[in-house]
Amino acid sequence: MSSPLRMSRLRLAIGGLGLALGLGVAFFLLPDASQQLAQKLRAKREAELNRNQQVQRLKELQQLADRIRRGRETLADLESRLPRGSAGELQWTLSKQLHELAQKHGLRLQTIKYGLPSREGSRGTDLEAIDVEFVAIGVYASHKAFMLELEGSGLPFAVRDGRLEESPEGARLDIVLRAFRKAGTPDREEEA
């Protein structure tokens, strides 16, 4: 019976050694593997977050590029429609349009004043601005229709200032427009 006892002791020793090796693996290798897995998962999440941020940034840049492209196209279209004649021709065109619209809407133009052509604010370009100040008298509804049609006329101007007041003659509309034209050659002030 000593041989089965020896076999049992041997098995017990081998089992104990296996248990010790298993515990060693569990204490030393598993935490390291778990830590590496956690690091890999964290790195994966960070990479996905970074990728999502980069995709979002790319979308924003593409939208910005589209807006810039549309802005350039709009600017090129606007510049192509600007009158290229003299300041007098622009004044004549504006005056004619203002008188036609005023007559159409039952308004009376009291005054129209033109400022001198100026390149202030557009240095280095061939744009020239002319201030146009006019006073129209009539009823409010006519002023509204007049201004809506003037804005849709396609004339190269922007409303710089406006004031609507009551007067003994009716509603008085004081407007200052800034009309634009292509002057021809850009300023060369940098060279002087």
Side-chain angles (χ1 to χ4, degrees):
M1 268 202 89
S2 130
S3 157
L5 188 57
R6 258 192 228 161
M7 282 303 266
S8 292
R9 284 184 187 165
L10 184 61
R11 285 186 189 155
L12 181 63
I14 292 175
L17 184 61
L19 181 63
L21 285 173
L23 287 175
V25 166
F27 282 123
F28 296 110
L29 296 180
L30 285 181
D32 188 46
S34 174
Q35 198 174 35
Q36 286 179 356
L37 179 62
Q39 287 175 345
K40 285 180 183 179
L41 289 175
R42 192 175 328 119
K44 181 181 176 185
R45 279 193 307 268
E46 288 173 0
E48 288 175 353
L49 180 63
N50 189 26
R51 181 185 57 87
N52 291 341
Q53 289 173 345
Q54 293 294 331
V55 166
Q56 182 64 31
R57 179 77 175 132
L58 179 62
K59 285 180 184 177
E60 291 170 0
L61 290 173
Q62 287 173 334
Q63 290 172 348
L64 178 61
D66 288 341
R67 282 197 311 266
I68 290 171
R69 181 188 46 76
R70 285 192 307 268
R72 284 183 177 163
E73 290 171 356
T74 302
L75 184 60
D77 179 53
L78 178 65
E79 284 183 347
S80 71
R81 290 186 289 131
L82 285 176
R84 296 185 187 276
S86 69
E89 289 173 327
L90 177 61
Q91 290 173 356
W92 173 253
T93 303
L94 285 169
S95 185
K96 187 172 128 184
Q97 187 74 34
L98 288 173
H99 281 288
E100 286 175 4
L101 290 176
Q103 187 177 16
K104 178 180 177 182
H105 294 288
L107 297 175
R108 184 169 53 93
L109 287 178
Q110 201 171 40
T111 60
I112 300 177
K113 297 177 190 173
Y114 295 96
L116 294 174
S118 165
R119 290 189 181 198
E120 186 177 327
S122 63
R123 298 190 191 284
T125 70
D126 58 349
L127 290 179
E128 195 170 72
I130 300 172
D131 286 343
V132 180
E133 183 178 350
F134 66 90
V135 177
I137 296 180
V139 296
Y140 174 75
S142 297
H143 284 298
K144 182 178 177 184
F146 171 80
M147 286 305 294
L148 287 173
E149 193 164 341
L150 181 62
E151 288 175 356
S153 68
L155 292 173
F157 73 88
V159 176
R160 198 178 103 204
D161 192 18
R163 186 174 51 243
L164 181 64
E165 301 172 333
E166 282 295 318
S167 74
E169 301 164 317
R172 175 187 168 110
L173 181 65
D174 293 317
I175 295 289
V176 178
L177 303 177
R178 179 159 276 183
F180 300 94
R181 72 178 192 94
K182 288 272 225 186
T185 58
D187 279 338
R188 300 285 182 212
E189 293 180 20
E190 297 86 22
E191 295 175 9

